[in-house]
Structures are given as structure tokens and as C-alpha cells.
Amino acid sequence: MNHPQQPREYDAVLGGNSPSLEGAAVLGGIEGVKLRLQNPDAKVRIAALEQALNYGEQGLDLVIAGLKDKSWDIQNAAYLILNSRTETRIKQILQKPNLEGLKLEQIEVVTVVDEFDDEFDDEFDEFIFKSDKVGEFQYEIGEYQFIIHRQPRIARYFMEDLGNGVTLEMAVIPGGTFMMGSPENEEGRSDNESPQHQVTVPSFFMGKYPVTQAQYQAIMGTNPSFFKGSNRPVECVSWNDAVKFCKLLSERTGKTYRLPSEAEWEYACRAGTTTPFHFGETITTHLANYHYDNGNDSYTYGVGNDSYIYGNGIEGITTVVGSFGVTNNFGLYDMHGNVSEWCQDNWHSNYKGAPTDGSAWLNNIISSSDEYLMRGGSWLFGSLTCRSAYRDSNFLDDGNNIGFRVVCSGAVGT
């Protein structure tokens, strides 16, 4: 009898080095798994990782090696496979930072749709319930019904210790290219979100959450916020004070911290998506903290301009960061709503002449020197302002209702 880890001459499976899933036959066993892990097609490699567990410790070592793969999809698959294991050494590996000093953390990426099978219609209630599909929840809000999917992924973070038990988590944002701005058919768009243009953004780190009051206090020694709470986002911060925070944080840590460029902010918010929100075409107050009283712009976006739909949100106040449990593919929370966030850039009324390399757009002849960009919407404004492409401005010395998120450049091995 052949050893289970040795290939058999009649043991052929799909795989190999062909970029196509068809017509690529290789020997099976552990050697076949190793060969399929060299395939350029991520689906083949993920399938190989799952098969590797059939080959004992040697196969488990292949899955562990997947945590350091260059592809984030492979890292994600390897982490999720290992996270269900109970061996002590696996738990220890997952708890340690990887070679770049980064912590891997399982997250649930949210997507929302407002269409679903008729079989669910009669089961709806006013409250949330879970369907038979894994990670799928359904809501009924007025006459509208939504399915909210939660899919397991991993994100990568490093942590700064700010002292006295206060930490700052920074997410890895891999470099890439995206279309910045909104398409002409996007509901609620403004001309200042055009023309859509392609931007290539180098990799960087970004705050997992907006800067909290505890983090701001640890660096600045003050807390200007109106809605007090150590884990609420700091607000009432001027652009000048946000820049000063970054300067002092850089001095404290020895790294270079700054405000994000507008392009970095939108790229990080979208996280590979092209819809108005990183979770889809629709937003509800189950997903974000925005203003939802009887004002004209407070409807649940994506279901019609005359639909004033309300959910479980908290009216008229900021919320603890991450409290909605809604993250995007990069592991960032609260990118839609809660608090508006400063960017580096001067305000420009459109994207004509904007940089395409992800850098901040500063001191252009048509810019206003004392107006700077804000992104993300807030508890104070309606659903339209929460869109990924929405942009607004304020005077640099006026921080009323505004917070910020920090980025750190360089040293990201993605």
C-alpha cells in the first residue's frame, strides 16, 4: 500500500501551473498539493490549502506557510482554516504577530442587499433574525426588507502603545488602483465628485477607528469633545489641531503619522468596492450612525427619495467606535457616519487636475488656502453624506463637529 503522502501514478487531480482550471492534471498526494500551491490562480491554491489538511503535520505546515503568502486572499484562507483548529501550537502561532510585526485578526465583512427570495417574506418581523444561510441576517424597516450578509475575513493591524492602557490600532491598507469619485448615475452625487478618474495608491497604514477621545487625551493632554466618552471619536477638532496631534504622535512613536490624503481616504473606505457604500447600494441605521429625523435628506439611502425609514441608530450623538460591528475588507470601522474626518488636502471644487498617485492636493492656484477636505459623513448629517465619494470642506481653524483618522506611511509589506 502506498504511503498516504506519496503520489500514486494513477492519482491525478486538477491543478498544476496552468492558469486555467481545466486541463491541468498533476500527481496527487502531498506533492500534488505543493505543486497546486504554486498555481497563479488563487482558487486553485485555496483548494490546495484545504486539501493539505489530509496530510498530517506536513500538510498543516503548508497551511501555516500560507499566512505569509504575498496574496491577501491566500493569507485569509489560511487563517480561517487554522482558526478552527484546537492544537496549542496553532493557537500560539495565530496569537503572535507575523514577521512584519502585524497582528492577524478575524473580522466579518458586511454587505447589504434589499432583494431576497420570496420564501423569506412571511417570516419577517420588526426585529432581526438569522436565516438558514450562514452569516445572513434579515431586517424589516417599514415596507422595506433587507438582507445583511456577514462574511469572515482577516485584517492585519499593528498596535501603538500610547501609555496608561491606551492603544492605537493601525490597519494595513495594501496598495492598488481605483476609480475615484462617483459615476453620474449615483443617487445624490454632486458635481464636485467628478470627473471620475483612476488613481494608484501606494500601501500605507490607517487607523482602525477614528481617533478616540482617550487617544487624543493621551497625546494632546486635552479633550475638546462635546459628547464625552473615552471610546467615542474625538470631535470639535480643528484641522490645525489634527495636524498637531499627528506631529506629537510621530515624535512619541518615532514613526511618521499624518492625516490621510483625500485619495487615500476614499481608496481605504471603498476597500475594492464601487458601490455608494463599502457594504453595498443601501445604508440603514442598523449599519451606521447618521442623522435620521424628519429632515429631507435623512431617508435610508437606496430605496427612494420619499422613503423616510429609520432603524436602531442613536439620535443626535456620536457612538462608541466600532459599535455597529461593520467593517470593510481592510478592517476599517466607522468609515460611513459617526464623525466627519479631516484630510490633508485643500478644498477643490472638482477633480480637474487632481493628482493620480494618491498624494494630497495642496496649494493649487484654484484652491482656497484656508479650506480643507472632510470625508465620511457624521451623526449630524443625513445618509447622502455617508457615501464613499461624498466630499465637503471646512475652515482649518473651525473644528466644530469634526474628528479625524491618522495614517502612517511606509514599511508595509503587502
Side-chain angles (χ1 to χ4, degrees):
M1 178 180 292
N2 290 78
H3 190 280
Q5 295 187 14
Q6 296 299 317
R8 298 162 294 188
E9 58 181 302
Y10 56 84
D11 193 0
V13 294
L14 290 178
N17 291 317
S18 169
S20 171
L21 293 178
E22 300 178 359
V26 299
L27 290 176
I30 192 68
E31 296 304 320
V33 170
K34 289 179 181 178
L35 189 55
R36 292 193 295 283
L37 286 173
Q38 300 174 28
N39 194 291
D41 192 299
K43 292 181 180 178
V44 174
R45 293 159 67 197
I46 291 170
L49 287 177
E50 294 169 347
Q51 295 160 7
L53 295 180
N54 296 325
Y55 300 99
E57 291 297 310
Q58 192 174 359
L60 196 58
D61 286 341
L62 293 177
V63 181
I64 292 170
L67 293 174
K68 299 182 179 67
D69 194 275
K70 292 182 179 179
S71 166
W72 208 334
D73 288 333
I74 303 304
Q75 290 183 33
N76 183 70
Y79 182 91
L80 294 177
I81 290 170
L82 294 173
N83 201 36
S84 63
R85 308 285 294 191
T86 58
E87 296 96 325
T88 300
R89 82 176 181 109
I90 299 301
K91 295 299 182 184
Q92 291 174 341
I93 288 171
L94 295 183
Q95 290 171 2
K96 291 180 180 179
N98 66 16
L99 291 178
E100 298 163 337
L102 304 176
K103 178 185 69 171
L104 302 178
E105 181 177 306
Q106 184 167 336
I107 59 176
E108 286 188 322
V109 176
V110 169
T111 56
V112 58
V113 295
D114 55 8
E115 297 178 0
F116 51 89
D117 296 334
D118 291 340
E119 62 184 284
F120 295 126
D121 287 359
D122 296 334
E123 300 181 47
F124 265 97
D125 197 343
E126 293 180 358
F127 302 102
I128 185 173
F129 79 92
K130 186 174 182 180
S131 77
D132 293 335
K133 297 180 181 180
V134 175
E136 181 178 281
F137 294 84
Q138 302 178 11
Y139 289 91
E140 183 176 73
I141 307 176
E143 62 183 293
Y144 297 98
Q145 297 168 329
F146 303 92
I147 295 177
I148 295 177
H149 302 277
R150 292 183 179 271
Q151 180 181 11
R153 294 275 302 173
I154 60 166
R156 292 180 289 174
Y157 305 98
F158 79 82
M159 187 175 296
E160 292 281 17
D161 185 353
L162 304 185
N164 297 320
V166 179
T167 58
L168 171 66
E169 290 185 86
M170 300 293 294
V172 173
I173 311 299
T177 299
F178 80 114
M179 291 300 294
M180 185 173 180
S182 60
E184 292 184 1
N185 63 349
E186 183 168 301
E187 179 185 337
R189 76 181 296 272
S190 169
D191 287 343
N192 66 36
E193 299 166 18
S194 64
Q196 265 195 306
H197 57 292
Q198 184 172 285
V199 179
T200 298
V201 181
S203 57
F204 60 100
F205 294 96
M206 190 175 209
K208 180 179 183 179
Y209 309 113
V211 170
T212 67
Q213 295 174 38
Q215 292 163 348
Y216 192 88
Q217 179 80 42
I219 298 300
M220 299 287 280
T222 60
N223 180 8
S225 304
F226 182 80
F227 302 114
K228 300 296 185 185
S230 60
N231 290 323
R232 295 183 188 274
V234 67
E235 23 89 13
C236 300
V237 179
S238 70
W239 187 89
N240 285 329
D241 282 343
V243 170
K244 182 179 179 181
F245 176 95
C246 294
K247 178 177 181 294
L248 295 177
L249 179 61
S250 300
E251 293 172 357
R252 173 84 66 92
T253 63
K255 302 182 180 74
T256 301
Y257 282 93
R258 55 177 174 79
L259 293 177
S261 71
E262 184 184 15
E264 287 173 330
W265 194 99
E266 185 173 328
Y267 173 75
C269 177
R270 290 188 180 279
T273 64
T274 58
T275 48
F277 312 96
H278 64 65
F279 38 71
E281 299 280 353
T282 302
I283 191 172
T284 82
T285 49
H286 294 286
L287 299 172
N289 180 16
Y290 59 90
H291 194 51
Y292 65 98
D293 67 11
N294 290 326
N296 291 331
D297 63 350
S298 301
Y299 53 85
T300 294
Y301 183 95
V303 295
N305 291 354
D306 297 324
S307 305
Y308 302 104
I309 314 299
Y310 314 131
N312 296 339
I314 299 176
E315 183 176 3
I317 191 172
T318 59
T319 46
V320 170
V321 296
S323 58
F324 285 81
V326 175
T327 181
N328 67 13
N329 282 311
F330 295 155
L332 300 173
Y333 293 78
D334 293 355
M335 296 301 286
H336 302 300
N338 207 6
V339 67
S340 296
E341 300 177 16
W342 285 115
C343 293
Q344 280 191 64
D345 308 48
N346 293 112
W347 169 254
H348 296 79
S349 60
N350 57 53
Y351 287 134
K352 294 177 180 178
T356 59
D357 60 357
S359 62
W361 196 5
L362 300 171
N363 298 326
N364 185 279
I365 191 170
I366 63 170
S367 73
S368 173
S369 61
D370 58 354
E371 285 188 70
Y372 284 79
L373 258 296
M374 353 181 261
R375 287 299 201 111
S378 80
W379 87 94
L380 190 60
F381 301 110
S383 57
L384 294 179
T385 69
C386 295
R387 293 175 301 111
S388 299
Y390 180 82
R391 53 201 302 264
D392 202 350
S393 67
N394 205 349
F395 295 103
L396 80 173
D397 58 353
D398 179 5
N400 191 27
N401 309 315
I402 309 173
F404 65 104
R405 195 180 300 244
V406 296
V407 303
C408 182
S409 301
V412 185
T414 55

